[in-house]
Each structure stands twice: as structure tokens, then as C-alpha cells.
Amino acid sequence: EVRDVLSEVLKVEPRYENAIEAALGAKLKGVVVSDSESGIAAIKNLISSGRKGRGLALPAIPRRLALPYIPRLVGVEGGAIDLVGFPDDYRSLMESLLAGVGIVRDLDAAYEAWRSGPDGITWVTLEGELVLPSGAVEGGSISDAGAGILERKRRREELKLSAAGQESKLAVAAEKETDCRHALDRAQEEEAQAEQKVREVELARVEVEGALRAFQEKLSVSVERCDVLAAQRLDLIGEL
């Protein structure tokens, strides 16, 4: 069973990317399989397929190895196994790959750690130089197939996070826009209702003013009639 490409399951701080890439090299592009038997089957399939290139199958449960002690010397950042994040069920695999690797500040610190520290440890600098247990030293520009894998992976993850953040902001903005549209619709509806009430009030005002004019006209006629009647009454009294 093929699980993952090794580089895809590792979490490495940018400070240690060069060191971990140098320590693991092409293993970063290896595929993690359930066990050694699955690894044998995977490589046989690769060979029988006729495809060009080589493959590396890394058993998730490898043969256990002795774990050397990484001393805390001057310039030593720590053991590589302690500076990399990975799923818990990959610990045995990562111990087999990194347990004998110490990360140091620079090449001088790597040489001093190799000279005064215990045997069997590979010292890797933050820039990616290596001092091997034998005393061999490796350095210079990395040009192998594994170069830059962790950095590219980190950048992809950062872009995904950035894209997710932008999508989240867009979703919030879209939600706010929807809320604003609903608020605008409600405001427009309330405005229409208010305008309808204004029209109704205006009609009522016109009706009241009409009724008032009619009443005033009737009142005027009544006053005139009252005046006429009063004059007639005075005339009658005079005649008597």
C-alpha cells in the first residue's frame, strides 16, 4: 500500500529547510509504503512498467536502529528528528532517516561537533553543508532532484492558506453585500409604504378641506338666512 510522498507529510520551519533537504536528499521524493514487502512490490511494478527513472519506497515500519545521542555542543541547533514535524505513525520511519543527524549553525560548528562529539553522526549546517561520520565534507549549490522540495511545498501551502483567506474574505464580503441588499430592499419597501401613507394622508387632507369648504359655504348661507329672518322679524315688530 502506497501512502504518501515523504515530502508531503513533513512540516519544517523555513530556518531548517536547507538542512533537512540536504540530510534527506532524494529520499524526500520517496513514497511511503506500509512495510518492506509493499516496497518490494512497488519497485517491481516500476521495473515491469518500463518507465524510465528510479523509485524509492520507504517502509512506514522499518527495522529499528540504535538512536545515537545528539550532544548539545556550541553551535548545535539540535537533532534533526526533533526539528521536523510529521504524523505520529511515521515516527519509526523518521527515526530511521534522521536519528543520526544533527543540525548545526555553520560549517565550523559542524567540524567542531564532528571532532569532539560521538561517532556515527552526520552534521548538517543551516545552509545545507554536511560533515559525514567518516569526516567527508559535502557542500556547495544543491542541484539534485530533491533540491527546493520543502521550500516549494511550504510556498504552495502558504498560497493555499492565502487563497483560503481571500476566499473567506470574499465570502464575508458576499454575505455583507447580501445583507446590504436585503437592508436596501427593506428600506425601499418602507419608503414605498411611507409614500403610500403620504398619498393617503394627502387624499384625506383634500377630503377634509373639501368638507370644510362645504361646511363654510353652508354656514355662510345659514348666516345670511339668519340675517334675513332677523330683518323680517324687526319689520314685523315695527308693523305691530
Side-chain angles (χ1 to χ4, degrees), residues 12-164:
V12 184
E13 294 182 12
R15 175 179 177 81
Y16 302 119
E17 285 176 348
N18 289 335
I20 298 302
E21 287 186 7
L24 292 176
K27 297 183 184 68
L28 284 169
K29 298 187 72 173
V31 294
V32 181
V33 296
S34 299
D35 48 38
S36 296
E37 184 177 349
S38 298
I40 294 294
I43 296 303
K44 284 184 176 180
N45 287 337
L46 175 64
I47 294 172
S48 62
S49 70
R51 294 195 300 269
K52 294 182 179 180
R54 296 176 64 82
L56 174 63
L58 303 167
I61 306 177
R63 178 174 293 176
R64 294 192 65 83
L65 303 174
L67 304 180
Y69 170 69
I70 306 296
R72 290 290 184 175
L73 303 173
V74 176
V76 174
E77 300 272 329
I81 188 68
D82 299 319
L83 301 175
V84 177
F86 46 81
D88 291 339
D89 55 345
Y90 281 33
R91 172 158 288 278
S92 295
L93 170 60
M94 296 312 301
E95 286 178 347
S96 73
L97 297 175
L98 292 177
V101 177
I103 296 180
V104 294
R105 182 180 61 247
D106 53 33
L107 197 53
D108 290 335
Y111 173 72
E112 184 59 30
W114 173 82
R115 189 182 64 81
S116 60
D119 296 336
I121 296 177
T122 296
W123 297 100
V124 188
T125 72
L126 295 175
E127 294 299 321
E129 297 93 1
L130 293 94
V131 177
L132 304 178
S134 65
V137 181
E138 180 180 332
S141 299
I142 299 176
S143 58
D144 61 275
I149 288 177
L150 294 177
E151 182 179 356
R152 291 196 298 271
K153 172 178 174 286
R154 171 170 55 83
R155 289 180 177 177
R156 287 199 307 272
E157 291 175 347
E158 290 173 350
L159 286 173
K160 287 180 181 178
L161 288 174
S162 177

Side-chain angles (χ1 to χ4, degrees), residues 158-213:
E158 290 173 350
L159 286 173
K160 287 180 181 178
L161 288 174
S162 177
Q166 294 300 323
E167 289 177 357
S168 177
K169 290 180 180 179
L170 286 173
V172 171
E175 183 177 355
K176 289 183 178 179
E177 181 185 6
T178 299
D179 292 340
C180 288
R181 288 184 180 277
H182 290 163
L184 179 61
D185 290 341
R186 288 193 297 271
Q188 290 175 338
E189 182 178 354
E190 292 173 357
E191 181 184 12
Q193 292 174 352
E195 290 177 349
Q196 179 63 28
K197 289 180 179 179
V198 169
R199 286 193 294 271
E200 292 174 355
V201 169
E202 183 66 18
L203 289 174
R205 184 185 66 81
V206 170
E207 290 177 358
V208 169
E209 289 178 349
L212 179 60
R213 283 194 299 271

